């Protein structure tokens, strides 16, 4: 049953993002991404700090100092992965106010879109393994973690889609690339289930690594995008969406830890 949940959750993340991208125009997607970035920042931060980290520390199978060392190592690891462009977070596109130089998206897409595909596939594979670790620790935690990843995957995949379109790809080809990279999440989930299930003592460390991924994405990528000077209405919308994300994570945390108390 756990494997079924893992496959379902990882498949949903890839499929939902492709469906959203396929059904809306680029103009609507551009506006949607801005709101979803704020929402996913709230959900990722809330899920990591209120759900995943507490679960890891409550296991009592690892010393807190060791777990914090893993958290630090994880943050540095994801920073290095992104530095060598193997862990991408694309929420940008030409005309998005980030003042990229002309043909920025064509360069981002690389030759034949390979850099987008490879970087995003690695990112999705990691997400799949994170979902597997969470489900193996606790089914409710698995669903909470999957929700956080899906919330981030939609703006991530839509961002990739816009980059590919701006680089000259057809809608069909851009969607196909997105679908292929999304399926890497399923592969990561299944392999995670096969490997992690045999090493239960490693679960707290893997959950901390998952948290470091969420925290890194939020602090290094999502929150800086929300730092632009905006009109008060747009600022209020950003804060509101961020608050909704945190509220969702807090609600899930209450359900999760409430069930543990019984």
């Amino acid at each position: 049953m756990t494997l079924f949940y893992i496959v379902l959750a990882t498949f949903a993340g890839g499929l939902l993002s492709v469906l959203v991208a396929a059904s809306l125009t680029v103009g609507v997607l551009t506006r949607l991404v801005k709101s979803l970035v704020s929402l996913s920042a709230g959900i990722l931060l809330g899920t990591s700090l209120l759900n995943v980290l507490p679960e890891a520390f409550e296991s009592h199978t690892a010393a807190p100092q060791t777990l914090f060392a893993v958290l630090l190592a994880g943050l540095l690891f994801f920073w290095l992965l992104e530095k060598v462009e193997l862990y991408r977070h694309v929420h940008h596109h030409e005309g998005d106010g980030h003042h990229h130089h002309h043909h920025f998206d064509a360069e981002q897409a690389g030759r034949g879109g390979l850099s987008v595909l490879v970087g995003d596939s690695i990112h999705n594979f990691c997400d799949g393994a994170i979902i597997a670790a969470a489900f193996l620790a606790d089914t409710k935690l698995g669903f909470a973690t999957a929700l956080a990843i899906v919330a981030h995957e939609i703006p991530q995949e839509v961002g990739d889609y816009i980059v590919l379109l701006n680089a000259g790809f057809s809608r069909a080809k851009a969607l196909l690339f997105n679908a292929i990279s999304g399926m890497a999440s399923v592969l990561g989930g299944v392999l995670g289930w096969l490997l992690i299930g045999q090493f239960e003592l490693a679960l707290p460390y893997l959950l901390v690594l998952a948290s470091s991924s969420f925290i890194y994405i939020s602090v290094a990528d999502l929150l800086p995008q929300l730092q632009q000077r905006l009109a008060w209405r747009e600022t209020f919308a950003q804060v509101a969406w961020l608050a909704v994300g945190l509220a969702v994570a807090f609600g899930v945390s209450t359900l999760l830890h409430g069930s543990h108390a019984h």
Side-chain angles (χ1 to χ4, degrees), residues 133-144:
F135 269 110
L136 287 165
D138 183 281
T139 304
K140 284 193 177 74
L141 182 70
F143 282 116

Side-chain angles (χ1 to χ4, degrees), residues 10 22 25 29 49 68 78 85 89 119 163 168 180 189 201 230 245 250:
T10 51
T25 65
L29 289 175
L49 297 172
F68 274 114
F78 288 113
E85 296 196 344
H89 316 292
V163 166
I180 291 168
L201 288 175
L230 298 169
F250 181 75

Side-chain angles (χ1 to χ4, degrees), residues 111-152:
R111 287 181 187 168
L114 190 63
S115 69
V116 167
L117 189 60
V118 171
D120 203 27
S121 296
I122 291 170
H123 183 140
N124 290 334
F125 183 88
C126 292
D127 284 347
I130 286 168
I131 287 173
F135 269 110
L136 287 165
D138 183 281
T139 304
K140 284 193 177 74
L141 182 70
F143 282 116
T145 304
L147 173 69
I149 285 175
V150 168
H152 175 58

Side-chain angles (χ1 to χ4, degrees), residues 40 43-44 47-48 143-153 214:
S40 64
I43 291 180
L44 285 177
T47 300
S48 59
F143 282 116
T145 304
L147 173 69
I149 285 175
V150 168
H152 175 58
E153 271 307 297
F214 289 178

Side-chain angles (χ1 to χ4, degrees), residues 97-117:
H98 285 91
H99 308 297
H100 300 309
H101 58 272
H102 195 50
H103 301 310
F104 172 80
D105 282 340
E107 289 173 22
Q108 284 282 291
R111 287 181 187 168
L114 190 63
S115 69
V116 167
L117 189 60

Side-chain angles (χ1 to χ4, degrees), residues 62-75:
Q65 196 168 5
T66 308
L67 292 177
F68 274 114
V70 172
L71 181 65
L72 175 62
L75 290 170

Side-chain angles (χ1 to χ4, degrees), residues 1-255:
M1 202 63 192
T2 304
L3 178 62
F4 172 74
Y5 286 145
I6 290 167
V7 171
L8 187 69
T10 51
F11 190 75
L15 187 65
L16 268 176
S17 52
V18 172
L19 287 176
V20 169
S23 61
L24 300 170
T25 65
V26 173
V28 173
L29 289 175
T30 300
R31 291 194 296 276
L32 185 67
V33 165
K34 288 179 180 176
S35 300
L36 284 175
V37 165
S38 301
L39 178 69
S40 64
I43 291 180
L44 285 177
L45 272 179
T47 300
S48 59
L49 297 172
L50 299 175
N51 298 327
V52 184
L53 276 179
E55 182 75 22
F57 278 88
E58 282 169 9
S59 67
H60 304 301
T61 56
Q65 196 168 5
T66 308
L67 292 177
F68 274 114
V70 172
L71 181 65
L72 175 62
L75 290 170
L76 293 173
F77 171 71
F78 288 113
W79 171 71
L80 283 170
L81 265 190
E82 191 167 42
K83 203 166 180 60
V84 295
E85 296 196 344
L86 287 176
Y87 198 66
R88 298 168 57 88
H89 316 292
V90 180
H91 308 107
H92 315 298
H93 49 92
E94 284 173 6
D96 65 356
H98 285 91
H99 308 297
H100 300 309
H101 58 272
H102 195 50
H103 301 310
F104 172 80
D105 282 340
E107 289 173 22
Q108 284 282 291
R111 287 181 187 168
L114 190 63
S115 69
V116 167
L117 189 60
V118 171
D120 203 27
S121 296
I122 291 170
H123 183 140
N124 290 334
F125 183 88
C126 292
D127 284 347
I130 286 168
I131 287 173
F135 269 110
L136 287 165
D138 183 281
T139 304
K140 284 193 177 74
L141 182 70
F143 282 116
T145 304
L147 173 69
I149 285 175
V150 168
H152 175 58
E153 271 307 297
I154 292 174
Q156 160 80 18
E157 298 293 347
V158 168
D160 277 336
Y161 175 68
I162 293 171
V163 166
L164 291 172
L165 285 184
N166 286 339
F169 285 75
S170 66
R171 280 183 80 102
K173 195 173 179 184
L175 288 169
L176 177 65
F177 270 39
N178 261 11
I180 291 168
S181 70
M183 289 307 99
S185 180
V186 181
L187 182 64
V190 172
L191 281 177
W193 177 77
L194 284 170
L195 299 173
I196 298 164
Q198 298 173 35
F199 304 99
E200 277 189 42
L201 288 175
L203 264 180
Y205 304 103
L206 292 168
L207 291 177
V208 170
L209 268 180
S211 291
S212 68
S213 164
F214 289 178
I215 293 167
Y216 178 78
I217 291 167
S218 303
V219 174
D221 180 59
L222 302 179
L223 291 178
Q225 289 188 56
L226 307 180
Q227 292 293 72
Q228 298 166 301
R229 286 177 176 271
L230 298 169
W232 69 269
R233 277 186 186 148
E234 288 177 288
T235 302
F236 176 78
Q238 279 186 345
V239 173
W241 280 113
L242 188 73
V244 168
L246 288 170
V248 168
F250 181 75
V252 171
S253 170
T254 305
L255 283 172

